Amino acid sequence: MSTATKPIPVVSASDRSEQDDADFVETQTSGIPVVGITAGMPTGGIPTIEPAARGRRSPLTAPASVVHPGDALPTRKRLSYILILGALTALGPFTMDTYLPSMPKLESDFHVSTAIIQLTLTATTVGFGLGQLIVGPWSDKVGRRMPLILATAVHILASLGVALAPNVELLSLFRLLQGLGAAASGVVAMAMVRDLFSGHRLVTMLSRLALVNGLAPVIAPVLGSQLLLIMPWRGIFWVIAAYSAVMLTCLMLWIVETRPIQARIAAGHSSVGQRFKSVLSDRIYVGIVIVSAMNFSGLFAYLSSSSFVFQMVYSFDAQQYGALFAANSVGIIIGVQTAARLAKRFGPQWVLSVSTATMTIAAALIVILGSTGSGGIWGVIVPLWFFIASCGFGFPCVQVLALNGHGAEAGTAASLQGASNFAIAGLISPLVGLLGVASAAPMGIVMLACSLVSVCSLWFVVRPRTVPALAH
């Protein structure tokens, strides 16, 4: 593809009397050569729209030049993309976490130990991590839509397999396949948004996905416990299969290809090795992946241990614990949405510097107050809320910083980031159990360690002052 950006052809209103504007715009951003992305550019090319002939209505209501390919989409089409892709990012957390409340029932039904049932969660996590490493680079090579559709179809079949599994061996196998199928959702959804947007607009769009991605792991166990009130544990997987089927239908009806053919064969970015080399040789990207993994691991330490801490140490009942989850969910919402606005004004790296520092202070307070008992329950709940809210501030920032400079290999960049999050969190979260749950201090110690590594990676590897400013 030429290094010059190709203009989007203009079709006058009289030439398309039987085609509405939405359909016309969709063809301009469907991954066909007219999308106008310069593959080698770090933030994507800037497609333009030639002015309409005198006396004729322009086919687009956008300005004479479109900064991002996604700007050519009408508002309702852009909204549908965000809603569908956002719902897709929830598929992974729902797959992994919705059945957590039912694990004791699985143990009794299959007459196996707790450790064996916990391996079914490990199988899902392994599948999710491997799937991201496979699907992300694959989507860079062949386009986004086909891998997303195929992976979602695999997820539906695997969910049905889990619901019908006669023994724990087949259950584990289908849970592995579930993880593989769900892996495409978050990775390819982020890559598709990066195909359409960069710079400040990318911050806004990824913040919408980050909101769902941050809330889903918190909501999923609560949803699973409510479903168990009206159905056996197998019913949870019928519900997940139905949700996945709805997503597949939406994909096939309303989501079109966003990665143009030219970008798939661009010099220096056409092979898997070249794409991995591009992201791994970027100091800023590597540092941000470490920050992202540590922040997610700190959150995961809370998710994996808080039920024991608050119900066993502080004698919360299920309803009180659910209320605590809801309050922390509000913190995530506030963090994600506020960060999107602040990042556009000050830069995501500076928002991240404040959020990681706040996480460190909050975790230190949990360790000190939790171990001494000072402040009672409020001495733990209040700093915990600020820790979780700070995670919300960081979610969109790490995604933007990881993807903004790698438009030509967005799938690969997103897959490495996502796989690192789950792999490192899976290794770190059991440390809370090893340290014990006699107080909130062990949970706080793991969260503090994660925060300190995150701060060090940000300031000594990423180095905020060296991060290029986001384009408008």
Side-chain angles (χ1 to χ4, degrees):
M1 181 176 178
S2 171
T3 55
T5 303
K6 294 185 178 181
I8 296 178
V10 170
V11 180
S12 69
S14 60
D15 293 334
R16 56 182 185 88
S17 57
E18 296 182 359
Q19 181 185 32
D20 62 23
D21 286 351
D23 290 338
F24 168 75
V25 175
E26 181 177 36
T27 64
Q28 308 307 303
T29 55
S30 63
I32 314 218
V34 298
V35 115
I37 297 178
T38 304
M41 295 178 66
T43 58
I46 302 178
T48 57
I49 301 174
E50 298 173 353
R54 185 178 301 276
R56 291 182 177 180
R57 180 175 67 88
S58 173
L60 298 176
T61 57
S65 64
V66 177
V67 178
H68 312 288
D71 288 339
L73 292 167
T75 301
R76 64 179 181 178
K77 174 67 73 174
R78 195 179 308 146
L79 178 62
S80 68
Y81 266 59
I82 293 302
L83 289 175
I84 294 171
L85 296 179
L88 274 169
T89 63
L91 192 59
F94 283 160
T95 297
M96 289 200 295
D97 300 337
T98 306
Y99 93 127
L100 293 180
S102 67
M103 291 178 76
K105 295 183 180 296
L106 272 73
E107 182 181 344
S108 61
D109 282 3
F110 289 114
H111 305 291
V112 295
S113 66
T114 301
I116 296 297
I117 295 300
Q118 287 176 331
L119 285 176
T120 65
L121 179 60
T122 301
T124 314
T125 306
V126 170
F128 199 74
L130 290 176
Q132 290 185 83
L133 292 176
I134 294 170
V135 175
W138 185 33
S139 74
D140 283 335
K141 182 67 176 178
V142 303
R144 313 294 186 204
R145 193 169 182 268
M146 183 181 70
L148 194 53
I149 289 175
L150 291 178
T152 307
V154 169
H155 184 268
I156 295 172
L157 296 176
S159 299
L160 296 176
V162 174
L164 299 171
N167 54 58
V168 73
E169 290 81 11
L170 284 176
L171 177 70
S172 299
L173 174 62
F174 285 122
R175 286 291 285 169
L176 175 68
L177 293 175
Q178 257 194 318
L180 286 169
S185 56
V187 169
V188 181
M190 284 198 295
M192 293 182 85
V193 172
R194 178 58 188 88
D195 291 339
L196 297 174
F197 302 100
S198 64
H200 286 184
R201 185 59 66 87
L202 181 64
V203 176
T204 301
M205 297 305 169
L206 283 181
S207 70
R208 305 297 188 262
L209 299 190
L211 177 61
V212 178
N213 222 12
L215 283 176
V218 178
I219 294 174
V222 178
L223 175 62
S225 63
Q226 296 303 309
L227 290 175
L228 286 175
L229 295 175
I230 59 175
M231 61 181 64
W233 66 265
R234 294 180 185 273
I236 292 176
F237 294 99
W238 286 102
V239 171
I240 292 175
Y243 181 86
S244 190
V246 171
M247 290 296 95
L248 179 61
T249 302
C250 292
L251 282 173
M252 298 183 70
L253 291 179
W254 292 300
I255 299 297
V256 295
E257 183 57 65
T258 61
R259 184 164 175 80
I261 295 175
Q262 291 92 331
R264 305 174 203 171
I265 59 175
H269 302 275
S270 58
S271 71
V272 173
Q274 288 174 332
R275 290 192 291 272
F276 273 104
K277 181 180 178 181
S278 177
V279 295
L280 292 176
S281 61
D282 179 0
R283 168 183 54 82
I284 293 175
Y285 174 83
V286 172
I288 285 299
V289 167
I290 296 173
V291 173
S292 176
M294 289 298 104
N295 290 359
F296 188 79
S297 296
L299 175 64
F300 211 75
Y302 153 73
L303 291 173
S304 63
S305 61
S306 59
S307 60
F308 299 100
V309 171
F310 289 102
Q311 294 187 69
M312 294 174 60
V313 178
Y314 295 104
S315 302
F316 276 33
D317 59 28
Q319 288 70 35
Q320 290 171 327
Y321 182 59
L324 177 67
F325 258 92
N328 289 330
S329 300
V330 172
I332 291 178
I333 294 172
I334 293 173
V336 168
Q337 296 307 305
T338 305
R341 297 178 181 274
L342 294 176
K344 288 188 288 187
R345 181 174 180 180
F346 300 105
Q349 69 272 28
W350 299 112
V351 176
L352 202 56
S353 67
V354 175
S355 69
T356 52
T358 304
M359 290 170 65
T360 304
I361 294 171
L365 287 173
I366 292 173
V367 174
I368 296 170
L369 300 177
S371 59
T372 62
S374 302
I377 183 63
W378 293 106
V380 174
I381 288 179
V382 173
L384 178 62
W385 189 91
F386 280 98
F387 184 94
I388 302 301
S390 297
C391 287
F393 272 88
F395 285 147
C397 295
V398 294
Q399 291 176 354
V400 169
L401 291 171
L403 297 181
N404 191 58
H406 293 283
E409 53 277 326
T412 302
S415 69
L416 279 174
Q417 182 190 8
S420 299
N421 284 354
F422 282 95
I424 296 177
L427 292 173
I428 290 177
S429 60
L431 293 177
V432 181
L434 294 176
L435 293 173
V437 290
S439 72
M443 178 181 72
I445 289 172
V446 175
M447 294 161 69
L448 177 59
C450 292
S451 300
L452 288 173
V453 175
S454 181
V455 168
C456 290
S457 180
L458 178 65
W459 287 101
F460 297 112
V461 181
V462 178
R463 303 201 295 271
R465 290 183 178 85
T466 67
V467 176
L470 294 178
H472 292 276

